[in-house]
């Protein structure tokens, strides 16, 4: 009887480890960033300083989903004049609108038990379009202070900003492609 109890306990532990885990994105370690052309002369880089969201991840089979919410009002080029322009009427026109963008997707392309991409949708400027992000890294481990599971990832892709109604500068020769990179850390919910 003791042996059966031990086997059942091990089986229960194995099933618990294989279950999907819900992680909360750590906004102090998650900064979506972007790269955009400046008339073919240089590349402007910036980030969004405020983000939130959830990740559901099953380490046993590499499945799950991602929901990253990004606050466009927190845009940061490292130059306040550019930040104000991007929030203003000539670009995001955030006055009277919720300043939100989001990426929602699912893990895909599992190799060796780890997903290699996120297939999903980017919502920006009130429009939603399909976007696939390559996963360059995904690692989970126990958080040293919180004593809960902790995951980090780095993903990147690109999109055409004109598809989202953001064509400012096109007449001056600006390319419409934007590189998007989302580096994220998330902690298992209690």
């Amino acid at each position: 009887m003791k042996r059966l109890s031990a086997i059942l306990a091990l089986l229960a532990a194995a099933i618990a480890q294989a279950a999907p885990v819900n992680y909360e994105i750590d906004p102090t370690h998650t900064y979506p960033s972007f790269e955009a052309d400046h008339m073919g002369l240089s590349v402007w880089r910036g980030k969004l300083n405020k983000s939130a969201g959830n990740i559901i991840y099953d380490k046993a089979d590499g499945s799950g989903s991602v929901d990253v919410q990004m606050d466009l009002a927190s845009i940061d080029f490292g130059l306040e004049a550019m930040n104000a322009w991007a929030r203003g009427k000539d670009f995001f026109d955030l006055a009277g609108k919720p300043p939100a963008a989001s990426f929602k997707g699912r893990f895909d392309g599992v190799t060796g038990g780890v997903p290699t991409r996120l297939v999903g949708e980017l919502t920006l400027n009130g429009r939603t379009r399909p976007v696939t992000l390559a996963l360059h890294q995904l690692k989970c481990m126990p958080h040293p202070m919180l004593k809960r599971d902790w995951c980090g990832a780095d993903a990147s892709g690109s999109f055409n900003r004109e598809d989202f109604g953001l064509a400012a500068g096109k007449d001056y020769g600006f390319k419409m492609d934007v590189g998007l990179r989302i580096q994220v850390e998330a902690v298992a919910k209690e």
Side-chain angles (χ1 to χ4, degrees):
M1 190 58 131
K2 281 185 171 181
R3 183 176 172 161
L4 179 59
S5 294
I7 291 170
L8 290 176
L10 285 172
L11 181 59
I15 290 170
Q17 288 179 351
V21 175
N22 192 346
Y23 298 86
E24 185 173 4
I25 289 175
D26 179 349
T28 64
H29 289 87
T30 302
Y31 296 97
S33 60
F34 55 89
E35 296 182 338
D37 174 66
H38 183 234
M39 300 179 74
L41 294 174
S42 64
V43 176
W44 287 349
R45 290 178 176 85
K47 64 180 182 169
L48 299 166
N49 288 323
K50 293 182 183 175
S51 59
N54 289 298
I55 297 170
I56 297 173
Y57 182 50
D58 188 334
K59 291 187 282 187
D61 66 9
S63 67
S65 61
V66 173
D67 180 355
V68 181
Q69 302 296 315
M70 299 164 273
D71 182 349
L72 297 175
S74 73
I75 194 165
D76 185 355
F77 283 97
L79 177 63
E80 186 50 43
M82 283 298 302
N83 302 345
W85 174 84
R87 291 188 299 261
K89 66 178 180 54
D90 294 325
F91 202 67
F92 288 133
D93 194 17
L94 296 180
K97 291 197 294 193
S102 68
F103 177 81
K104 295 180 181 183
R106 63 178 172 74
F107 293 110
D108 192 43
V110 177
T111 301
V114 179
T116 60
R117 64 184 170 266
L118 289 161
V119 177
E121 295 180 325
L122 178 65
T123 300
L124 178 63
N125 200 33
R127 298 180 187 188
T128 301
R129 301 288 185 267
V131 170
T132 297
L133 302 176
L135 270 172
H136 306 288
Q137 176 179 315
L138 173 60
K139 178 181 178 179
C140 298
M141 60 189 268
H143 193 288
M145 294 178 289
L146 300 175
K147 307 301 183 204
R148 289 183 274 153
D149 203 32
W150 180 35
C151 295
D154 183 57
S156 68
S158 64
F159 63 91
N160 183 315
R161 64 183 173 93
E162 190 173 22
D163 291 345
F164 296 90
L166 300 169
K170 184 176 180 181
D171 294 342
Y172 295 106
F174 284 66
K175 297 173 189 166
M176 296 292 103
D177 290 332
V178 174
L180 174 64
R181 188 160 208 125
I182 300 176
Q183 123 278 333
V184 62
E185 292 184 19
V187 178
K189 290 187 177 182
E190 291 186 274

